[in-house]
Amino acid sequence: MGEPTVDLIGCYWTLAGPYVFGEQDQSPWSFRERVEAAARAGYTGFGIKQADLRETLSRYSFAQMRKIFADNGIRYLELEALFGWYSTGGERTRSNADRNLLLQAASELGAHHVKAAGDFDGRPAVVEHMRDEFQLLARQALDAGTLVTLEPIVISSVPDLDTALQVLGESAGAGGGLMLDSWHVTRGGMSLAQIAALPAGCIGGVELDDGTLQPVGSELEDTLNRRRLCGEGEFDLHGLIGAARAAGYQGPWGVEIISAEQRARSLQEAAQLSCRAAAALFSS
């Protein structure tokens, strides 16, 4: 198979290997070897999560990271993931530390976007407050030369497309955008017709993965352990791609395979299989 005809981002979880979920979820594989493996597989984008970013910065400067990306043809960087951006107290203090790190890295490394999401504590969302806080976050992202993408996740305080659009508010295309993951689009029953009708600039990123139409086990367990390579499940991935394009999306496409099977693969196998499967969606 030849090189992918579109720009694909090897998202953090896809290439992180046998990590452990939690506060210290950095990859056991080095930054350089993951970037090189991503490039060999055909990825032109790469993803880093904050714990992994902190570990990487203990070994490399931003200038060294930029050179490694440039040497490997990596043009798109995804940074994740900001939670608690609308919270208060100690939770907000911790969130602000992540915010400052991610936005600094976005500025230094020229990141395409920084991912943000709602929280998973079960507390009811106050949409007006979240919208106000997201506008501030979007302005800060714009100042850093990037955008912040809000991902609706069915088990979070931003569970659906309508809530995400309310929170996004006037920031769409001005430092803010939606991140649409095929997993959550499918699990959340989000309308492809509604996605296709979104105004230009509203979608800031799209991530692709596959799975069964019905969850296996709990929603959380299914989300963390059973995502499949693109084309190996039952999701309407061509429909999502078509809807995003109809809404004017022209950016890179993330590939986010979070599964026990993907974590057990070697780095090169994880990179090659995930990139090849996603690229095939755009040639069929």
Side-chain angles (χ1 to χ4, degrees):
M1 178 181 169
E3 291 296 307
T5 58
V6 295
D7 287 302
L8 300 175
I9 298 174
C11 296
Y12 174 70
W13 301 114
T14 302
L15 303 179
Y19 51 82
V20 177
F21 289 110
E23 290 293 323
Q24 303 302 318
D25 51 15
Q26 61 266 29
S27 173
W29 296 328
S30 77
F31 168 74
R32 183 187 292 274
E33 66 182 336
R34 281 178 287 142
V35 172
E36 291 174 348
R40 284 194 298 270
Y43 283 113
T44 55
F46 187 79
I48 308 179
K49 194 172 182 289
Q50 62 261 51
D52 193 73
L53 177 59
R54 289 187 171 97
E55 172 67 19
T56 299
L57 287 171
S58 73
R59 300 170 184 268
Y60 300 97
S61 67
F62 282 124
Q64 290 171 322
M65 291 178 70
R66 286 196 299 269
K67 187 175 188 304
I68 292 170
F69 284 141
D71 288 347
N72 287 279
I74 298 297
R75 301 193 298 274
Y76 298 98
L77 175 63
E78 172 181 86
L79 295 171
E80 60 173 315
L82 187 60
F83 300 97
W85 42 271
Y86 58 92
S87 60
T88 58
E91 184 179 353
R92 180 59 174 266
T93 300
R94 291 187 292 273
S95 178
N96 283 346
D98 283 345
R99 179 190 305 226
N100 293 338
L101 172 70
L102 293 170
L103 290 180
Q104 180 189 9
S107 178
E108 292 276 0
L109 300 172
H112 183 264
H113 61 267
V114 176
K115 284 173 61 177
D119 290 323
F120 303 91
D121 53 21
R123 289 180 294 182
V126 180
V127 174
E128 294 79 5
H129 172 68
M130 293 171 70
R131 182 175 61 240
D132 290 344
E133 289 285 355
F134 194 82
Q135 308 315 295
L136 170 61
L137 178 57
R139 289 193 297 272
Q140 293 172 333
L142 196 61
D143 288 343
T146 190
L147 72 154
V148 58
T149 57
L150 178 63
E151 184 172 8
I153 299 173
V154 68
I155 55 175
S156 78
S157 57
V158 185
D160 51 46
L161 192 55
D162 288 339
T163 303
L165 288 170
Q166 290 181 64
V167 174
L168 187 63
E170 296 180 356
S171 73
L178 293 175
M179 172 58 69
L180 299 177
D181 182 328
S182 57
W183 185 268
H184 302 301
V185 167
T186 303
R187 287 283 184 265
M190 299 179 203
S191 163
L192 295 184
Q194 185 181 9
I195 291 171
L198 291 171
C202 194
I203 300 176
V206 181
E207 291 180 338
L208 302 170
D209 43 57
D210 215 334
T212 56
L213 291 179
Q214 296 301 317
V216 178
S218 72
E219 288 180 317
L220 181 61
E221 184 182 37
D222 201 41
T223 294
L224 299 182
N225 292 323
R226 297 194 178 89
R227 302 194 195 197
R228 299 183 181 179
L229 297 174
C230 296
E232 293 188 353
E234 302 169 327
F235 292 179
D236 184 6
L237 298 180
H238 287 108
L240 175 57
I241 291 168
R245 284 176 161 169
Y249 183 69
Q250 298 178 340
W253 304 80
V255 182
E256 187 172 65
I257 312 300
I258 308 176
S259 71
E261 186 175 15
Q262 182 75 352
R263 291 192 289 276
R265 292 181 170 123
S266 69
L267 174 55
Q268 199 56 46
E269 184 182 33
Q272 290 176 342
L273 291 180
S274 60
C275 188
R276 185 182 305 137
L281 297 172
F282 297 90
S283 61
S284 60

